[in-house]
Amino acid sequence: IFEVKRQVSTGLTFDVSYVFSKSLDDRSFDPVFTAAGTGTSLTAQNTTLDPNNRRLNYGISDFDRTHVLNGTVVYDLPFGTGRYFLKGGNGFVDRIFGGWTVSSNVILQSGRPFTVVSGTNSFNSAVSSRANFSGTNFKPRFQDDGGVPFLFTAAERAQFTLPGPGELGNIGRNSFRMPRNFNMDAALIKRVRIRETINFEFRTEVSNLTNTPYFAVPAISVLTPATLGRSLSTANPASSNARIIQLGAKLNF
């Protein structure tokens, strides 16, 4: 973990942190999903494949994010009483040009890991086995394929095959990863002093300022090759909404 935090006397405060980590386990609990499952679901790979060999489930944790960069900045604009510009202005000028604050929060992090499954029960009767993959150097990125976003190119999809009877597949749990996630929130705040201890505050807050989409984990079953890697929805709505602008006002005293 690396963090830099600084408060400047001119009204600027910033905080930047970077976390490099790796988490391995044989069964994860990701709040977006559940701890176990059957069939071809993502959580099925957290279900014990063989009680006598738990290492078959050992791999990258569902919640692992290798790189996480987070930054926050708050800046009181230098206008009005006590600031560099217009510091000698009258009360009317101060109420118009003073009391402005801008802030922003940015997060850039690795995508969620996931497993490509075969869609067949070649290894046991409860959980789908994993796929065989003959490719290398997979780069997680969504591209347009017939007007639909696909995580795998046609050439990459062709490199996935079904395992034979009794086989688990040659890829490990959570061998693939979604594209990185970027989000920027921002706010513009105006405070108008009414009395010494009372001020009126108007806020404009923007979530996902860049309107960056973040797609949900795509179809992961090789048994349906036409849809393998296709994503028709966005991820958890709490973190991947389209740009949202919210206005608010309050009285501080």
Side-chain angles (χ1 to χ4, degrees):
I1 299 176
F2 177 77
E3 182 177 12
V4 176
K5 187 174 184 178
R6 176 72 174 175
Q7 183 172 358
V8 184
S9 59
T10 56
L12 174 65
T13 301
F14 64 88
D15 187 348
V16 179
S17 64
Y18 169 73
V19 178
F20 173 75
S21 63
K22 185 176 183 179
S23 177
L24 299 167
D25 60 27
D26 57 20
R27 183 172 180 175
S28 297
F29 174 73
D30 189 325
V32 178
F33 304 104
T34 55
T38 59
T40 60
S41 66
L42 283 171
T43 51
Q45 294 302 315
N46 284 317
T47 303
T48 302
L49 298 170
D50 182 352
N52 297 315
N53 186 4
R54 296 297 295 268
R55 291 197 62 83
L56 294 178
N57 291 83
Y58 192 70
I60 299 292
S61 301
D62 291 358
F63 50 81
D64 178 81
R65 304 294 185 269
T66 307
H67 306 281
V68 179
L69 178 66
N70 194 3
T72 301
V73 61
V74 179
Y75 183 43
D76 295 327
L77 299 185
F79 303 101
T81 302
R83 301 300 177 183
Y84 189 80
F85 299 103
L86 303 177
K87 57 185 175 182
N90 57 37
F92 176 77
V93 172
D94 183 62
R95 284 173 171 79
I96 296 298
F97 297 101
W100 291 93
T101 299
V102 293
S103 65
S104 181
N105 176 259
V106 176
I107 185 167
L108 177 64
Q109 63 181 350
S110 302
R112 183 195 189 280
F114 68 96
T115 310
V116 177
V117 300
S118 68
T120 66
N121 295 100
S122 62
F123 189 76
N124 65 36
S125 60
V127 178
S128 171
S129 56
R130 299 167 191 154
N132 286 330
F133 184 60
S134 59
T136 57
N137 300 324
F138 165 71
K139 296 181 179 180
R141 66 201 183 283
F142 277 101
Q143 53 268 313
D144 183 275
D145 189 340
V148 178
F150 273 82
L151 185 60
F152 301 117
T153 65
E156 289 170 337
R157 294 198 294 271
Q159 293 172 326
F160 288 99
T161 56
L162 299 176
E167 295 179 353
L168 178 58
N170 67 2
I171 63 172
R173 172 172 158 255
N174 287 335
S175 295
F176 296 90
R177 192 177 290 273
M178 295 286 290
R180 63 187 182 184
N181 182 15
F182 172 82
N183 185 73
M184 175 184 289
D185 299 331
L188 176 64
I189 304 169
K190 168 62 175 173
R191 297 182 180 92
V192 179
R193 185 170 59 87
I194 300 175
R195 293 183 180 178
E196 189 67 28
T197 59
I198 302 175
N199 68 76
F200 176 78
E201 181 177 307
F202 180 78
R203 306 175 65 94
T204 302
E205 300 173 337
V206 184
S207 300
N208 191 6
L209 178 66
T210 58
N211 205 30
T212 303
Y214 190 67
F215 295 102
V217 175
I220 57 173
S221 176
V222 178
L223 198 60
T224 53
T227 60
L228 177 63
R230 186 182 71 183
S231 182
L232 298 179
S233 63
T234 54
N236 176 18
S239 61
S240 63
N241 282 316
R243 184 190 297 116
I244 296 176
I245 301 176
Q246 178 176 288
L247 304 179
K250 64 180 179 179
L251 185 67
N252 300 313
F253 58 92

